[in-house]
Short mmCIF file of all heavy atoms in Angstrom, two decimals:
data_model
loop_
_atom_site.label_atom_id
_atom_site.label_comp_id
_atom_site.label_asym_id
_atom_site.label_seq_id
_atom_site.Cartn_x
_atom_site.Cartn_y
_atom_site.Cartn_z
N ALA A 16 -15.62 4.14 -2.27
CA ALA A 16 -16.11 3.53 -1.03
C ALA A 16 -17.30 4.30 -0.48
O ALA A 16 -18.24 3.70 0.05
CB ALA A 16 -14.98 3.48 0.00
N LEU A 17 -17.27 5.63 -0.60
CA LEU A 17 -18.41 6.44 -0.15
C LEU A 17 -19.67 6.04 -0.91
O LEU A 17 -20.76 5.92 -0.32
CB LEU A 17 -18.12 7.92 -0.37
CG LEU A 17 -17.09 8.57 0.56
CD1 LEU A 17 -16.73 9.97 0.06
CD2 LEU A 17 -17.61 8.64 1.99
N ARG A 18 -19.54 5.81 -2.22
CA ARG A 18 -20.71 5.43 -3.01
C ARG A 18 -21.17 4.02 -2.64
O ARG A 18 -22.38 3.76 -2.50
CB ARG A 18 -20.38 5.51 -4.51
CG ARG A 18 -20.16 6.95 -4.99
CD ARG A 18 -20.15 7.01 -6.52
NE ARG A 18 -18.97 6.34 -7.08
CZ ARG A 18 -17.82 6.94 -7.32
NH1 ARG A 18 -17.65 8.23 -6.99
NH2 ARG A 18 -16.80 6.28 -7.85
N ARG A 19 -20.23 3.08 -2.49
CA ARG A 19 -20.60 1.70 -2.14
C ARG A 19 -21.31 1.64 -0.78
O ARG A 19 -22.23 0.86 -0.60
CB ARG A 19 -19.36 0.81 -2.10
CG ARG A 19 -18.70 0.55 -3.43
CD ARG A 19 -17.69 -0.58 -3.31
NE ARG A 19 -16.87 -0.71 -4.50
CZ ARG A 19 -15.62 -0.29 -4.61
NH1 ARG A 19 -15.02 0.28 -3.57
NH2 ARG A 19 -14.95 -0.43 -5.73
N ALA A 20 -20.83 2.45 0.15
CA ALA A 20 -21.39 2.44 1.50
C ALA A 20 -22.64 3.30 1.62
O ALA A 20 -23.23 3.40 2.70
CB ALA A 20 -20.34 2.92 2.50
N ALA A 21 -23.05 3.94 0.51
CA ALA A 21 -24.26 4.79 0.50
C ALA A 21 -24.17 5.90 1.54
O ALA A 21 -25.17 6.23 2.21
CB ALA A 21 -25.51 3.94 0.70
N VAL A 22 -23.00 6.49 1.68
CA VAL A 22 -22.80 7.60 2.62
C VAL A 22 -23.43 8.86 2.02
O VAL A 22 -23.17 9.18 0.86
CB VAL A 22 -21.30 7.82 2.89
CG1 VAL A 22 -21.10 9.05 3.78
CG2 VAL A 22 -20.70 6.59 3.55
N PRO A 23 -24.25 9.60 2.79
CA PRO A 23 -24.90 10.81 2.25
C PRO A 23 -23.91 11.99 2.19
O PRO A 23 -24.05 12.97 2.90
CB PRO A 23 -26.02 11.06 3.26
CG PRO A 23 -25.50 10.52 4.55
CD PRO A 23 -24.71 9.28 4.16
N ILE A 24 -22.93 11.87 1.32
CA ILE A 24 -21.89 12.87 1.22
C ILE A 24 -22.45 14.17 0.64
O ILE A 24 -23.29 14.15 -0.26
CB ILE A 24 -20.72 12.34 0.36
CG1 ILE A 24 -19.52 13.28 0.42
CG2 ILE A 24 -21.17 12.09 -1.06
CD1 ILE A 24 -18.76 13.21 1.70
N ALA A 25 -21.97 15.30 1.14
CA ALA A 25 -22.35 16.60 0.61
C ALA A 25 -21.43 16.96 -0.55
O ALA A 25 -20.29 16.50 -0.61
CB ALA A 25 -22.28 17.67 1.71
N TYR A 26 -21.92 17.79 -1.46
CA TYR A 26 -21.15 18.18 -2.63
C TYR A 26 -21.00 19.70 -2.69
O TYR A 26 -21.85 20.45 -2.18
CB TYR A 26 -21.82 17.68 -3.91
CG TYR A 26 -21.65 16.20 -4.15
CD1 TYR A 26 -22.47 15.29 -3.51
CD2 TYR A 26 -20.65 15.72 -4.99
CE1 TYR A 26 -22.32 13.92 -3.71
CE2 TYR A 26 -20.49 14.36 -5.20
CZ TYR A 26 -21.32 13.47 -4.56
OH TYR A 26 -21.16 12.12 -4.76
N SER A 27 -19.93 20.14 -3.33
CA SER A 27 -19.71 21.56 -3.54
C SER A 27 -20.70 22.08 -4.58
O SER A 27 -21.33 21.31 -5.31
CB SER A 27 -18.28 21.81 -4.02
OG SER A 27 -18.05 21.15 -5.26
N GLN A 28 -20.83 23.41 -4.65
CA GLN A 28 -21.73 24.03 -5.61
C GLN A 28 -20.99 24.30 -6.93
O GLN A 28 -19.79 24.18 -7.01
CB GLN A 28 -22.27 25.34 -5.03
CG GLN A 28 -23.01 25.18 -3.71
CD GLN A 28 -24.24 24.31 -3.83
OE1 GLN A 28 -25.04 24.49 -4.75
NE2 GLN A 28 -24.40 23.35 -2.91
N GLY A 29 -21.74 24.69 -7.97
CA GLY A 29 -21.12 25.06 -9.23
C GLY A 29 -21.40 24.06 -10.34
O GLY A 29 -22.18 23.12 -10.19
#
Side-chain angles (χ1 to χ4, degrees):
L17 288 170
R18 292 193 292 270
R19 291 193 190 103
V22 175
I24 189 75
Y26 285 82
S27 62
Q28 302 298 313

